[in-house]
Short mmCIF file of all heavy atoms in Angstrom, two decimals:
data_model
loop_
_atom_site.label_atom_id
_atom_site.label_comp_id
_atom_site.label_asym_id
_atom_site.label_seq_id
_atom_site.Cartn_x
_atom_site.Cartn_y
_atom_site.Cartn_z
N PRO A 310 33.48 62.24 -8.24
CA PRO A 310 32.62 61.20 -8.85
C PRO A 310 33.47 60.01 -9.32
O PRO A 310 34.45 60.18 -10.14
CB PRO A 310 31.95 61.93 -10.09
CG PRO A 310 32.12 63.36 -9.69
CD PRO A 310 33.32 63.54 -8.96
N LYS A 311 33.08 58.83 -8.96
CA LYS A 311 33.79 57.61 -9.42
C LYS A 311 33.34 57.17 -10.82
O LYS A 311 34.23 56.63 -11.51
CB LYS A 311 33.44 56.48 -8.41
CG LYS A 311 34.37 56.37 -7.28
CD LYS A 311 34.18 55.10 -6.54
CE LYS A 311 35.28 54.81 -5.42
NZ LYS A 311 35.04 53.54 -4.75
N THR A 312 32.10 57.43 -11.14
CA THR A 312 31.53 56.92 -12.38
C THR A 312 31.88 57.78 -13.63
O THR A 312 31.60 57.46 -14.66
CB THR A 312 29.99 56.74 -12.24
OG1 THR A 312 29.42 58.00 -11.77
CG2 THR A 312 29.63 55.65 -11.34
N GLN A 313 32.49 58.99 -13.28
CA GLN A 313 32.72 59.92 -14.34
C GLN A 313 34.18 59.73 -14.87
O GLN A 313 35.14 59.81 -14.16
CB GLN A 313 32.68 61.27 -13.76
CG GLN A 313 32.97 62.45 -14.78
CD GLN A 313 32.77 63.82 -13.99
OE1 GLN A 313 31.84 64.06 -13.30
NE2 GLN A 313 33.74 64.61 -14.27
N GLY A 314 34.35 59.38 -16.20
CA GLY A 314 35.56 59.13 -16.80
C GLY A 314 36.21 60.46 -17.09
O GLY A 314 35.59 61.55 -17.04
N ALA A 315 37.55 60.44 -17.35
CA ALA A 315 38.19 61.67 -17.71
C ALA A 315 37.73 62.17 -19.05
O ALA A 315 37.64 61.42 -20.06
CB ALA A 315 39.75 61.48 -17.76
N PRO A 316 37.48 63.52 -19.22
CA PRO A 316 37.05 64.01 -20.51
C PRO A 316 38.19 64.05 -21.48
O PRO A 316 39.35 64.03 -21.07
CB PRO A 316 36.59 65.47 -20.15
CG PRO A 316 37.36 65.81 -18.88
CD PRO A 316 37.54 64.51 -18.19
N THR A 317 37.84 64.24 -22.74
CA THR A 317 38.88 64.26 -23.80
C THR A 317 39.46 65.69 -23.77
O THR A 317 38.85 66.67 -23.23
CB THR A 317 38.33 63.99 -25.15
OG1 THR A 317 37.37 64.96 -25.51
CG2 THR A 317 37.76 62.53 -25.19
N LEU A 318 40.60 65.96 -24.41
CA LEU A 318 41.18 67.26 -24.42
C LEU A 318 40.23 68.24 -25.19
O LEU A 318 40.15 69.43 -24.80
CB LEU A 318 42.52 67.21 -25.09
CG LEU A 318 43.62 66.47 -24.31
CD1 LEU A 318 44.90 66.32 -25.20
CD2 LEU A 318 43.94 67.17 -22.97
N LEU A 319 39.60 67.75 -26.21
CA LEU A 319 38.65 68.60 -26.94
C LEU A 319 37.43 69.02 -26.03
O LEU A 319 36.96 70.17 -26.06
CB LEU A 319 38.10 67.85 -28.20
CG LEU A 319 38.80 68.11 -29.51
CD1 LEU A 319 38.22 67.17 -30.60
CD2 LEU A 319 38.73 69.58 -29.97
N GLU A 320 36.92 68.08 -25.26
CA GLU A 320 35.84 68.33 -24.32
C GLU A 320 36.29 69.29 -23.29
O GLU A 320 35.49 70.15 -22.76
CB GLU A 320 35.37 67.08 -23.66
CG GLU A 320 34.58 66.13 -24.62
CD GLU A 320 34.33 64.68 -23.99
OE1 GLU A 320 35.01 64.32 -23.01
OE2 GLU A 320 33.51 64.02 -24.62
N LEU A 321 37.54 69.35 -22.92
CA LEU A 321 38.04 70.29 -21.92
C LEU A 321 38.09 71.74 -22.45
O LEU A 321 38.06 72.67 -21.75
CB LEU A 321 39.43 69.94 -21.43
CG LEU A 321 39.59 68.68 -20.52
CD1 LEU A 321 41.06 68.47 -20.21
CD2 LEU A 321 38.80 68.91 -19.19
N GLY A 351 41.89 73.28 -12.87
CA GLY A 351 41.62 72.07 -13.68
C GLY A 351 42.86 71.39 -14.11
O GLY A 351 42.82 70.63 -15.08
N LYS A 352 44.01 71.72 -13.51
CA LYS A 352 45.29 71.08 -13.93
C LYS A 352 45.26 69.55 -13.87
O LYS A 352 45.71 68.89 -14.80
CB LYS A 352 46.49 71.65 -13.07
CG LYS A 352 46.63 73.09 -13.12
CD LYS A 352 47.88 73.58 -12.49
CE LYS A 352 47.93 73.27 -10.97
NZ LYS A 352 46.87 73.99 -10.22
N THR A 353 44.79 69.02 -12.75
CA THR A 353 44.72 67.57 -12.53
C THR A 353 43.85 66.94 -13.59
O THR A 353 44.17 65.85 -14.11
CB THR A 353 44.25 67.22 -11.10
OG1 THR A 353 45.07 67.96 -10.17
CG2 THR A 353 44.45 65.79 -10.89
N THR A 354 42.73 67.56 -13.84
CA THR A 354 41.80 66.97 -14.87
C THR A 354 42.46 66.84 -16.22
O THR A 354 42.36 65.89 -16.92
CB THR A 354 40.54 67.80 -14.89
OG1 THR A 354 39.90 67.83 -13.67
CG2 THR A 354 39.51 67.22 -15.91
N THR A 355 43.21 67.95 -16.56
CA THR A 355 43.88 67.93 -17.87
C THR A 355 44.96 66.84 -17.86
O THR A 355 45.09 66.10 -18.88
CB THR A 355 44.68 69.27 -18.11
OG1 THR A 355 43.69 70.33 -18.12
CG2 THR A 355 45.38 69.35 -19.46
N LEU A 356 45.67 66.60 -16.75
CA LEU A 356 46.72 65.46 -16.67
C LEU A 356 45.95 64.08 -16.86
O LEU A 356 46.47 63.26 -17.54
CB LEU A 356 47.38 65.53 -15.33
CG LEU A 356 48.51 66.51 -15.18
CD1 LEU A 356 49.11 66.43 -13.77
CD2 LEU A 356 49.61 66.35 -16.17
N TYR A 357 44.82 63.93 -16.29
CA TYR A 357 44.09 62.73 -16.35
C TYR A 357 43.67 62.57 -17.81
O TYR A 357 43.64 61.29 -18.29
CB TYR A 357 42.85 62.72 -15.45
CG TYR A 357 43.19 62.44 -13.99
CD1 TYR A 357 42.36 63.02 -12.98
CD2 TYR A 357 44.26 61.59 -13.63
CE1 TYR A 357 42.74 62.72 -11.66
CE2 TYR A 357 44.49 61.32 -12.28
CZ TYR A 357 43.72 61.96 -11.31
OH TYR A 357 44.03 61.68 -10.00
N SER A 358 43.23 63.58 -18.41
CA SER A 358 42.81 63.51 -19.86
C SER A 358 44.04 63.03 -20.71
O SER A 358 43.85 62.15 -21.67
CB SER A 358 42.29 64.77 -20.35
OG SER A 358 41.17 65.21 -19.63
N ILE A 359 45.09 63.60 -20.56
CA ILE A 359 46.39 63.23 -21.24
C ILE A 359 46.76 61.75 -21.01
O ILE A 359 46.94 61.02 -21.95
CB ILE A 359 47.54 64.16 -20.88
CG1 ILE A 359 47.28 65.61 -21.42
CG2 ILE A 359 48.82 63.60 -21.47
CD1 ILE A 359 48.32 66.60 -20.90
N LEU A 360 46.70 61.28 -19.72
CA LEU A 360 47.06 59.96 -19.38
C LEU A 360 46.06 58.98 -20.10
O LEU A 360 46.44 57.89 -20.48
CB LEU A 360 47.12 59.78 -17.94
CG LEU A 360 48.26 60.44 -17.18
CD1 LEU A 360 48.26 60.08 -15.62
CD2 LEU A 360 49.63 60.04 -17.72
N SER A 361 44.79 59.28 -19.99
CA SER A 361 43.77 58.43 -20.61
C SER A 361 43.99 58.28 -22.10
O SER A 361 43.71 57.22 -22.70
CB SER A 361 42.29 59.05 -20.33
OG SER A 361 42.03 59.10 -19.00
N LYS A 362 44.53 59.36 -22.74
CA LYS A 362 44.80 59.30 -24.14
C LYS A 362 45.93 58.44 -24.58
O LYS A 362 45.99 57.76 -25.51
CB LYS A 362 44.95 60.82 -24.63
CG LYS A 362 45.20 60.89 -26.14
CD LYS A 362 45.27 62.32 -26.58
CE LYS A 362 45.54 62.44 -28.12
NZ LYS A 362 45.49 63.81 -28.56
N ILE A 363 46.99 58.59 -23.73
CA ILE A 363 48.33 57.97 -24.13
C ILE A 363 48.58 56.56 -23.44
O ILE A 363 49.47 55.86 -23.76
CB ILE A 363 49.50 58.82 -23.87
CG1 ILE A 363 49.69 59.12 -22.31
CG2 ILE A 363 49.39 60.08 -24.65
CD1 ILE A 363 50.84 60.01 -22.05
N GLU A 378 42.56 61.45 -7.17
CA GLU A 378 41.25 61.95 -7.33
C GLU A 378 40.34 61.09 -8.22
O GLU A 378 39.11 60.87 -7.87
CB GLU A 378 41.22 63.46 -7.81
CG GLU A 378 41.96 64.38 -6.83
CD GLU A 378 41.66 65.83 -7.17
OE1 GLU A 378 40.99 66.07 -8.16
OE2 GLU A 378 42.23 66.65 -6.50
N TYR A 379 40.90 60.60 -9.30
CA TYR A 379 40.14 59.74 -10.16
C TYR A 379 41.00 58.45 -10.50
O TYR A 379 42.23 58.57 -10.55
CB TYR A 379 39.79 60.43 -11.51
CG TYR A 379 39.00 61.63 -11.43
CD1 TYR A 379 39.53 62.95 -11.49
CD2 TYR A 379 37.61 61.55 -11.24
CE1 TYR A 379 38.77 64.06 -11.36
CE2 TYR A 379 36.81 62.67 -11.05
CZ TYR A 379 37.40 63.96 -11.15
OH TYR A 379 36.61 65.01 -11.05
N GLN A 380 40.32 57.39 -10.59
CA GLN A 380 41.04 56.15 -10.91
C GLN A 380 40.94 55.86 -12.38
O GLN A 380 39.88 55.85 -13.06
CB GLN A 380 40.37 54.89 -10.17
CG GLN A 380 40.68 55.10 -8.64
CD GLN A 380 39.88 54.09 -7.83
OE1 GLN A 380 39.10 53.21 -8.39
NE2 GLN A 380 39.95 54.19 -6.54
N ILE A 381 42.13 55.72 -13.04
CA ILE A 381 42.25 55.46 -14.49
C ILE A 381 42.60 54.05 -14.79
O ILE A 381 43.60 53.53 -14.21
CB ILE A 381 43.39 56.43 -15.10
CG1 ILE A 381 43.17 57.89 -14.61
CG2 ILE A 381 43.34 56.36 -16.57
CD1 ILE A 381 44.31 58.78 -14.97
N PRO A 382 41.76 53.37 -15.53
CA PRO A 382 42.06 51.93 -15.86
C PRO A 382 43.45 51.80 -16.49
O PRO A 382 43.78 52.53 -17.38
CB PRO A 382 40.91 51.58 -16.89
CG PRO A 382 39.84 52.57 -16.61
CD PRO A 382 40.52 53.85 -16.21
N VAL A 384 46.36 52.24 -15.20
CA VAL A 384 47.38 53.15 -14.72
C VAL A 384 47.77 52.78 -13.27
O VAL A 384 46.74 52.64 -12.39
CB VAL A 384 47.03 54.61 -14.83
CG1 VAL A 384 47.98 55.47 -14.12
CG2 VAL A 384 46.81 55.00 -16.25
N GLN A 386 48.49 53.93 -9.87
CA GLN A 386 48.41 55.17 -9.15
C GLN A 386 48.74 55.01 -7.66
O GLN A 386 48.30 54.14 -6.96
CB GLN A 386 46.94 55.72 -9.23
CG GLN A 386 46.59 56.06 -10.69
CD GLN A 386 45.13 56.50 -10.79
OE1 GLN A 386 44.23 55.65 -11.06
NE2 GLN A 386 44.88 57.79 -10.69
#
Side-chain angles (χ1 to χ4, degrees):
K311 269 188 170 182
T312 50
Q313 180 180 313
T317 65
L318 293 173
L319 268 174
E320 288 170 344
L321 288 178
K352 301 186 297 296
T353 306
T354 304
T355 302
L356 280 180
Y357 283 148
S358 298
I359 291 171
L360 289 183
S361 297
K362 180 175 182 176
I363 63 177
E378 294 192 4
Y379 299 102
Q380 293 171 1
I381 310 171
V384 174
Q386 296 173 270

